[in-house]
Amino acid sequence: MPRKSKAARRTAFVSIRRAMSGLVALPGLPKRLLKVGYDLAAILVCFTAAHYLTTPFAPFLAGYQPLILGAAAALVVAAHVGGHLYGPIAHARDVDILRASFAAAGLGGLLIIASAFIDLTRQPPGAGVIFGAFLVFLTGGGRIGLRAFLTERRARQRERVLIYGAGAAGRQLLAALRERGRHHVTSFVDDNPAVHGLRVGGVRVYDAADVLDVVRRTRADVIMLAMPSISAARRREILHRLEPLEQPVRTVPDLQDILAGKAPLSQVRAITPEDLLGRDPVPPRRELIEPMIRDRSILVTGAGGSIGSELCVQILRQKPRRLVLVEQSEYALYAILRRLRAVNETLADRVAGHLGTVEDETRMEQILREHEVDAVFHTAAYKHVPLVESNMIDAVRNNALGTARMARAAIRAGVETFVLVSTDKAVRPANIMGASKRLAELVCHSFSNNQSGTKFAVVRFGNVLDSSGSVAPLFREQIERGGPVTVTHREATRYFMTLSEAAQLVVQAGRLSEGGETFVLGMGEPVRIIDLACRMIRLAGYTPRFAEDGPARSGEILVTFTGLRPGEKLAEELFVSKQADGTEHPLILSEKQEELEASVLNGLVARLEAACKARDGAMIREVLAHRYVHYRPVVFDSPPEPESERSAL
C-alpha cells in the first residue's frame, strides 16, 4: 500500500508538472487572459474568506456586496496591469511582483474598509485587512512560486556555470549571462577573503581554495574565469589548479582587448595555448619601434602568412608613411588587406598590396624603387617541415635563393635595413626547411660583410602559437571533433612564443641592428608537446587516454603517438655558437657570428641555383651538407616505451 501511494503521488506530481509546462507553452494573449482569470478567482476567494471570517452568519453577496466585489476586482486588475504582472513571469523580479501585489491588495482592502465605515456591506473594517493579506498571498505569492518553478525547471535545461572571480568583471559576466538566458550561475569563487560568504547578485561567493569541492557540490557544468587583468603567471597558476576538474574552463578576453574595444567582456572563449604557456608581456619600447616605422616606407614579404600578417598589423599601428605588402597567394593578400582596413581604415590609403614572388628579382627591385622603401621585413618562406621535405627543390628555391634575390634587389634599390625572419630549425638543421633558412641566414651575413649601403639583420626564434601549421590549432581542432590527438613523440619539446610578441620583437630587433647581427629572441623554457596536448584536453573538460591503454570511453580523448617524421628532431636549438650577448632589450640576444669566406658562400649559392634549375635533388643535398650550412638529416624511429613511463603520464 505505501508503495502504491508513493507511485500515485509521483504520477500526480508528473501530471501537475506536465500541465504547468503546457500552460507555460501557451501563446501570449491566452496566457495573459489566464492570469486575469486567476486573479479574478483569487479576488472572489479572498472576498469570501474575509466575509465568513468576520461575519459568518450574515448573508453572502447581499446588498451592495456584489458592487463592492466588482469595484475591488477592477482596482486589483488595474493595479496589476500598472505593475506589469501580466507580462512574462520568468523575467519579473520578486520585489517587483510583491510591490505590485501589495499595491493592488491595498487598494482593494481600502475599498472594503471604506465601505464598512459607511455601512454598505455590514462587514467590520477587519474584513478589508483579511482580504488584502489573503490577496497578497494568492496573487503575489502564487506568481513567485510559479516563477521559482519555472526558474528551477529552466535551470536544469541551462548550462550550470561557476564564475572564478567575484570582482567587477565577474559581476558584469553574471549580468550578461542572465541577459542571455542560456546559463545558470550557481556560485562564485574568489581569492579575496573579504568577499567569502557574501552574495553577488544573489549568488554565493566561496573561497577559491575550495574550488574543487564547490564545483562538485554545485554540479557546475563549466567554469568561467572572469579575471581579465591578472598576470599571465597568475592565470597559469589558476588553470593548473583547475586542471583536475572534468569541467571545461572558459575565460573572458584580456583586459587590453576589452579596453581596445576588440572584444566585449561577455564574449567568453575557450582556454588557448597562450593562456597555458604565455608569459607576462614585456611592453614594446617606443624608442625602438617608432624610429623604425613612423613616417617611413616599410615592405613586408610573405605579408599574408602568420608572422607577416601580424607584422603588418603592428607596423600599421605605428603610422608608417607607406606599408607595402608582397604576397604570392591572392587570397592571403586579400585577407590581410581586409584585416588592415579593420585595424585602421583611415590609414588604408597608405597600404599597397602586390602579388608576386621574391624569386622575381627584377619585379622586387621595381616595387622597392616605386615605393622608396626604407626597410624590408623578409618573412616569405615555406615553413611546414613535412611539405618542404617532399617539395625540396621549390622550397629551397623560395627560401634560400629567394632571400638572395630579394637581398640583391634591396641593395640595388638603396634600402636602409633588411631584416630576415628565421627559425630555430636553422640551427644544426636536420631538415630541408631548416637548412634552406640557415643558408638564407648566411647569405644575409655575406651581403652585410661585403657592402655598407644596406644593413642586414637576422632574427631567429622558435614556434609561434596559433601560427599556420603549428600544433596548437591542430590539437584544438582534434579535441573539438572528439580526438584522437596526435603527438609525434612523448619526449618531443619545442620553444613557443605568442604571435604579437614575436612581431613586436622583430621590429625592435631591426632597430637595434648595426649590420650583420643574428638576434635570438628570448623564448623561455622549452615545452613538452605531450604536456601541452594533455593540458588542452583537460581544460576542455575531457580526460586524456593513451592508445596503448585501450579505446577512449565517454569523457575521454584518445592520445596517439605517430613517431617523428623525416627531418624532425626531438628538441630544437636557438644558438649556432655558444657565445651570445645581451642587448638593451631583455628579450633580444645577439649571437656572435662565425667568419665566412664570401667566395665559398657565393659558390654554394651558384651551385644551388644550377641544381634547382636542373631539378637535381642530390646536388641540392650535397650543397646543403657543406660545413657552413651543416645539414645533417636525421630519421628517428621511436622505440616502444616501457609501461612505467606510460603510466607516469
Side-chain angles (χ1 to χ4, degrees):
M1 185 68 177
R3 189 175 299 167
K4 280 188 177 181
S5 300
K6 189 174 182 181
R9 286 197 301 270
R10 187 183 299 113
T11 302
F13 183 71
V14 170
S15 300
I16 293 171
R17 292 182 68 89
R18 285 177 180 170
M20 294 188 73
S21 298
L23 293 176
V24 170
L26 286 173
L29 181 59
K31 199 182 295 185
R32 284 193 289 272
L33 293 176
L34 189 63
K35 292 174 186 174
V36 173
Y38 171 81
D39 285 346
L40 293 176
I43 291 167
L44 179 59
V45 169
C46 294
F47 193 85
T48 303
H51 173 81
Y52 283 108
L53 287 175
T54 56
T55 55
F57 302 109
F60 182 54
L61 293 181
Y64 290 99
Q65 281 188 348
L67 180 62
I68 299 301
L69 176 60
L75 285 173
V76 169
V77 171
H80 282 183
V81 170
H84 306 289
L85 290 194
Y86 296 123
I89 295 176
H91 300 311
R93 296 185 306 168
D94 291 350
V95 65
D96 295 329
I97 292 174
L98 289 175
R99 185 182 294 120
S101 297
F102 271 111
L107 289 173
L110 286 174
L111 178 64
I112 295 172
I113 292 172
S115 66
F117 275 116
I118 60 177
D119 200 23
L120 290 178
T121 60
R122 296 182 182 179
Q123 291 175 327
V129 176
I130 294 173
F131 173 85
F134 278 29
L135 191 66
V136 169
F137 176 77
L138 288 178
T139 60
R143 280 174 167 82
I144 291 174
L146 180 61
R147 180 179 178 278
F149 166 77
L150 294 175
T151 302
E152 189 271 338
R153 174 175 170 268
R154 288 174 177 166
R156 290 197 303 273
Q157 300 171 345
R158 292 180 290 174
E159 195 172 50
R160 298 172 65 84
V161 177
L162 179 143
I163 298 179
Y164 199 120
R171 293 193 296 273
Q172 292 177 49
L173 180 59
L174 172 65
L177 294 177
R178 283 178 169 171
E179 180 71 22
R180 291 179 182 177
R182 297 192 297 270
H183 301 84
H184 172 61
V185 178
T186 63
S187 52
F188 282 97
V189 295
D190 199 281
D191 297 309
N192 182 5
V195 298
H196 296 165
L198 300 181
R199 289 187 176 272
V200 174
V203 178
R204 179 77 177 270
V205 183
Y206 296 91
D207 187 349
D210 302 325
V211 63
L212 305 186
D213 180 59
V214 174
V215 168
R216 296 187 181 100
R217 193 150 30 90
T218 60
R219 295 178 289 112
D221 299 313
V222 64
I223 301 162
M224 293 187 182
L225 185 58
M227 305 177 76
S229 59
I230 59 174
S231 66
R234 178 67 182 133
R235 185 181 298 271
R236 287 197 306 272
E237 180 184 328
I238 292 173
L239 292 176
H240 181 72
R241 177 188 292 176
L242 299 177
E243 263 190 70
L245 294 168
E246 297 177 353
Q247 288 74 10
V249 180
R250 300 172 194 155
T251 184
V252 299
D254 293 332
L255 185 62
Q256 292 84 351
D257 291 340
I258 296 171
L259 294 176
K262 293 194 288 185
L265 188 143
S266 59
Q267 184 180 317
V268 294
R269 59 173 175 81
I271 295 297
T272 64
E274 286 91 335
D275 297 313
L276 300 176
L277 306 177
R279 58 193 170 197
D280 291 326
V282 176
R285 300 178 58 171
R286 294 182 61 183
E287 67 272 20
L288 294 179
I289 286 189
E290 286 190 2
M292 185 71 186
I293 303 300
R294 184 68 57 90
D295 297 326
R296 305 180 81 215
S297 181
I298 310 296
L299 183 142
V300 179
T301 68
S306 302
I307 293 293
S309 59
E310 185 64 26
L311 263 173
C312 290
V313 170
Q314 300 288 348
I315 289 169
L316 187 62
R317 286 177 177 155
Q318 299 301 321
K319 299 181 180 178
R321 182 179 81 252
R322 197 76 169 155
L323 175 57
V324 186
L325 283 58
V326 173
E327 173 58 56
Q328 64 176 339
S329 165
E330 180 186 28
Y331 178 75
L333 182 60
Y334 164 76
I336 182 57
L337 287 172
R338 283 192 62 194
R339 183 180 173 191
L340 292 177
R341 278 195 293 272
V343 169
N344 193 330
E345 194 167 345
T346 63
L347 297 176
D349 59 342
R350 304 188 188 190
V351 179
H354 293 279
L355 282 171
T357 171
V358 294
E359 296 176 47
D360 188 344
E361 189 173 332
T362 302
R363 174 64 174 146
M364 292 301 105
E365 182 179 350
Q366 180 186 38
I367 293 172
L368 290 167
R369 290 185 183 279
E370 175 186 347
H371 297 288
E372 299 178 344
V373 171
D374 298 300
V376 170
F377 291 93
H378 180 50
T379 76
Y382 294 136
K383 304 181 182 74
H384 194 269
V385 170
L387 285 178
V388 169
E389 289 295 309
S390 57
N391 295 273
M392 174 179 64
I393 297 171
D394 296 286
V396 167
R397 192 170 59 199
N398 182 73
N399 292 5
L401 300 183
T403 299
R405 292 169 184 171
M406 190 72 207
R408 286 196 295 261
I411 292 171
R412 288 199 299 271
V415 172
E416 181 182 321
T417 306
F418 186 102
V419 179
L420 169 68
V421 174
S422 190
T423 169
D424 56 359
K425 293 174 179 63
V427 178
R428 284 171 278 282
N431 50 63
I432 295 296
M433 195 280 275
S436 63
K437 293 296 287 184
R438 176 58 180 160
L439 186 54
E441 290 184 2
L442 297 173
V443 164
C444 289
H445 292 314
S446 178
F447 280 129
S448 180
N449 294 337
N450 291 283
Q451 57 81 50
S452 57
T454 300
K455 294 187 296 184
F456 283 85
V458 173
V459 182
R460 186 191 301 144
F461 50 92
N463 290 32
V464 174
L465 288 167
D466 267 354
S467 65
S468 59
S470 74
V471 296
L474 174 63
F475 288 166
R476 188 182 302 117
E477 177 187 328
Q478 291 174 334
I479 292 169
E480 286 174 355
R481 66 170 183 249
V485 170
T486 55
V487 180
T488 55
H489 192 279
R490 194 178 297 271
E491 298 304 325
T493 63
R494 293 294 183 267
Y495 291 98
F496 288 100
M497 174 176 280
T498 64
L499 197 55
S500 60
E501 186 177 29
Q504 291 173 357
L505 290 173
V506 166
V507 174
Q508 293 173 90
R511 176 61 180 173
L512 291 172
S513 175
E514 296 179 358
E517 302 92 347
T518 293
F519 294 109
V520 181
L521 304 186
M523 303 290 296
E525 294 299 318
V527 176
R528 285 209 316 169
I529 302 300
I530 183 61
D531 293 342
L532 173 61
C534 289
R535 295 195 71 187
M536 289 181 67
I537 290 171
R538 291 191 189 99
L539 290 169
Y542 300 97
T543 302
R545 184 177 182 85
F546 297 97
E548 57 266 31
D549 298 327
R553 295 168 295 197
S554 176
E556 295 181 335
I557 295 286
L558 198 65
V559 179
T560 61
F561 295 99
T562 60
L564 291 173
R565 296 167 292 188
E568 288 188 323
K569 296 192 288 187
L570 275 179
E572 300 291 357
E573 304 171 82
L574 289 170
F575 297 94
V576 174
S577 67
K578 294 182 180 180
Q579 183 177 346
D581 300 318
T583 67
E584 57 184 279
H585 195 290
L587 293 182
I588 302 176
L589 300 176
S590 179
E591 181 182 58
K592 182 175 176 58
Q593 293 306 308
E594 59 186 308
E595 295 296 327
L596 300 173
E597 296 179 37
S599 59
V600 175
L601 189 59
N602 292 338
L604 290 177
V605 173
R607 288 181 63 197
L608 202 60
E609 291 261 16
C612 287
K613 188 174 182 180
R615 303 196 70 81
D616 186 340
M619 184 182 292
I620 290 175
R621 291 183 182 277
E622 183 182 326
V623 171
L624 297 179
H626 189 275
R627 64 181 178 85
Y628 279 178
V629 185
H630 201 72
Y631 167 53
R632 299 291 185 270
V634 173
V635 178
F636 189 94
D637 294 323
S638 51
E641 293 160 344
E643 184 66 32
S644 60
E645 289 188 18
R646 292 205 300 268
S647 61
L649 287 171

